[in-house]
Amino acid sequence: MPDGYPPDRISIFSTSEDDEESRLEAQEIGDYLLAKSFFDCREYDRCAAVFLPLNHTPINVSSASPEPENHTPNKSGKGKGKAPAQSPEALPRPRTVTLPRMSQKSLFLALYAKYMAGEKRKDEESEMIMGPMDTGATINKELIEIARRLEDWFQERATLGKEAQNHGWLEYLYGVILAKSNSIEDAKEYLIKSVHLNPFIWSAWTELRDLLTNVEALRTITPKLPPHLFTILFNLDANQSLYQTSPDTHSSITELLKAFPTSHYLQTQRALLHYHSKDYEESERIFSSIIHSSPHRLDSLDHYSNVLYVMSSRPKLAFLAQLATQTDKFRPETCCIVGNYYSLKSEHEKAVMYFRRALTLDRQFLSAWTLMGH
């Protein structure tokens, strides 16, 4: 689209309040839709190539990380075999490539596609879960380049005095990169920046939650968060992940349910609260109610299968496994539900097979790791 595109037509393609950003988004609309279609088809490299130049030397991280066969398994890990990552500052800087002028939306899509491409290749190099090559030595080789591109972009924005006009998505992505590099405090800082700029980026909230190791860490960052509804939801979610069953958590859910009485998410949080308190009967009742009102919703049903397993309710667990399989057999929640069913039947080999399948679908799925350990 031409640079002189009428302002009244630009608003069709963008909701940004920044005139320059809106104009860039309007000019890129065709390329953006093409790149987004590639991303939705999981062709991440093709998606990134729409916006990012290809005339650069591929990043060689062999000097920064030994070959996988020279590694020994990480003995100090918690079972997931995570590699001892390095911070972006400690890694060699790739050759600088001048980025074409593009909107924040397009830049985020391109860089996030490169990140996903790197994650996909990392999983392929790791081969099967808990196999001989799954030592935790493989890394996402795109992290260095993405980090440097983002650092250059942030520096340019700071120089122009436009940091307040950032949309928050690139801060979120940089926070993810820093977390992958074990720069936890810096990751928290950028994720907090992200939710201040755009409180509706729930992925930033969940990444921030995953960086909290105890209640004290949650209390430390809470005053730094924006006064927003999502801050309340984040505190609720973080308390659940830290297995806190305090009266304050109960009160928060009750108040939120008054405003959103039909929210399945909040009802699930209440069920999980009873589950963590070992009130399995009440938890089962709430989960059963959720299934009746939304039978195709699989979120957190792996926890419901744990409740049914503890209660030795084999008929209900069989029904849940059948329902989940008919809805989506390739969800990690479904695999954990079916694995619990076979475990209750004492068919442990089949149970382990399904738990492995869950981890193949999502290597970070905590329930599968926990159930595998049982």
Side-chain angles (χ1 to χ4, degrees):
M1 294 181 184
D3 291 340
Y5 209 65
D8 58 333
R9 296 293 299 280
I10 289 176
S11 61
I12 299 174
F13 306 107
S14 173
T15 57
S16 176
E17 296 180 359
D18 185 342
D19 291 340
E20 181 184 2
E21 192 75 16
S22 297
R23 192 172 298 279
L24 286 171
E25 290 183 12
Q27 293 169 356
E28 298 162 355
I29 186 64
D31 287 341
Y32 179 83
L33 292 175
L34 175 64
K36 186 63 167 60
S37 67
F38 288 147
F39 187 92
D40 292 340
C41 293
R42 300 187 180 183
E43 297 187 58
Y44 302 122
D45 287 311
R46 291 185 73 187
C47 173
V50 173
F51 290 110
L52 298 181
L54 295 176
N55 58 341
H56 65 277
T57 305
I59 304 302
N60 181 5
V61 297
S62 59
S63 61
S65 175
E67 294 297 327
E69 57 266 28
N70 294 334
H71 275 277
T72 56
N74 184 3
K75 304 291 185 180
S76 61
K78 295 184 179 180
K80 296 187 182 181
K82 291 185 178 178
Q86 293 176 276
S87 65
E89 292 78 6
L91 295 169
R93 187 182 182 94
R95 182 167 62 88
T96 301
V97 178
T98 303
L99 285 173
R101 198 74 179 167
M102 70 181 81
S103 65
Q104 296 180 48
K105 184 167 70 172
S106 297
L107 180 59
F108 170 76
L109 178 61
L111 292 180
Y112 190 69
K114 287 189 72 68
Y115 168 77
M116 292 299 295
E119 289 292 295
K120 183 179 177 181
R121 282 189 281 271
K122 182 185 76 171
D123 290 342
E124 289 170 352
E125 291 173 11
S126 299
E127 297 181 359
M128 65 179 294
I129 296 291
M130 300 177 70
M133 297 296 294
D134 189 17
T135 63
T138 55
I139 61 172
N140 184 337
K141 297 178 183 179
E142 302 290 344
L143 295 184
I144 308 168
E145 181 183 355
I146 297 171
R148 298 310 182 193
R149 289 182 185 274
L150 287 171
E151 288 166 5
D152 292 343
W153 188 84
F154 289 136
Q155 184 175 2
E156 179 186 358
R157 297 291 288 186
T159 302
L160 296 174
K162 291 187 174 182
E163 291 176 298
Q165 298 175 8
N166 293 355
H167 293 175
W169 292 101
L170 292 167
E171 285 78 4
Y172 153 68
L173 179 56
Y174 193 50
V176 172
I177 301 297
L178 290 170
K180 289 281 185 181
S181 306
N182 282 342
S183 300
I184 304 301
E185 294 305 316
D186 290 337
K188 289 180 183 178
E189 178 185 344
Y190 272 88
L191 290 171
I192 291 172
K193 283 183 181 179
S194 174
V195 298
H196 270 277
L197 291 166
N198 187 348
F200 296 102
I201 305 178
W202 184 245
S203 295
W205 292 102
T206 56
E207 287 289 339
L208 185 58
R209 175 204 64 197
D210 292 342
L211 297 179
L212 304 177
T213 56
N214 51 54
V215 180
E216 188 58 37
L218 174 60
R219 290 173 180 165
T220 300
I221 69 165
T222 298
K224 303 176 183 178
L225 301 176
H228 196 272
L229 172 63
F230 271 42
T231 299
I232 302 173
L233 293 173
F234 165 75
N235 274 282
L236 172 60
D237 197 49
N239 275 297
Q240 290 278 30
S241 69
L242 295 170
Y243 305 105
Q244 298 301 303
T245 57
S246 65
D248 289 341
T249 309
H250 276 282
S251 299
S252 296
I253 295 177
T254 300
E255 291 302 316
L256 287 168
L257 279 170
K258 290 179 181 178
F260 308 101
T262 60
S263 169
H264 292 130
Y265 169 78
L266 292 175
Q267 292 171 14
T268 299
Q269 295 302 307
R270 169 148 283 175
L272 290 175
L273 198 60
H274 288 291
Y275 167 58
H276 294 148
S277 302
K278 298 185 179 181
D279 185 357
Y280 300 122
E281 287 78 10
E282 182 63 18
S283 180
E284 193 279 330
R285 185 191 66 78
I286 297 173
F287 272 123
S288 180
S289 173
I290 294 171
I291 286 180
H292 277 89
S293 59
S294 183
H296 303 298
R297 184 180 186 273
L298 298 179
D299 297 347
S300 298
L301 287 191
D302 51 305
H303 295 292
Y304 182 31
S305 72
N306 293 339
V307 172
L308 296 176
Y309 179 89
V310 171
M311 297 175 68
S312 299
S313 183
R314 184 168 161 180
K316 288 186 177 181
L317 186 51
F319 169 76
L320 182 63
Q322 184 181 27
L323 179 65
T325 302
Q326 290 176 347
T327 301
D328 188 349
K329 64 173 66 175
F330 297 110
R331 280 277 293 267
E333 292 90 345
T334 298
C335 295
C336 284
I337 292 168
V338 177
N340 264 335
Y341 170 71
Y342 282 119
S343 182
L344 189 59
K345 290 180 64 180
S346 297
E347 297 183 31
H348 300 299
E349 289 185 3
K350 285 187 176 180
V352 169
M353 179 184 72
Y354 276 95
F355 295 146
R356 279 179 178 268
R357 186 175 297 177
L359 292 171
T360 301
L361 294 168
D362 183 357
R363 186 177 287 265
Q364 305 299 323
F365 200 66
L366 182 59
S367 289
W369 286 108
T370 305
L371 294 169
M372 182 83 78
H374 290 169

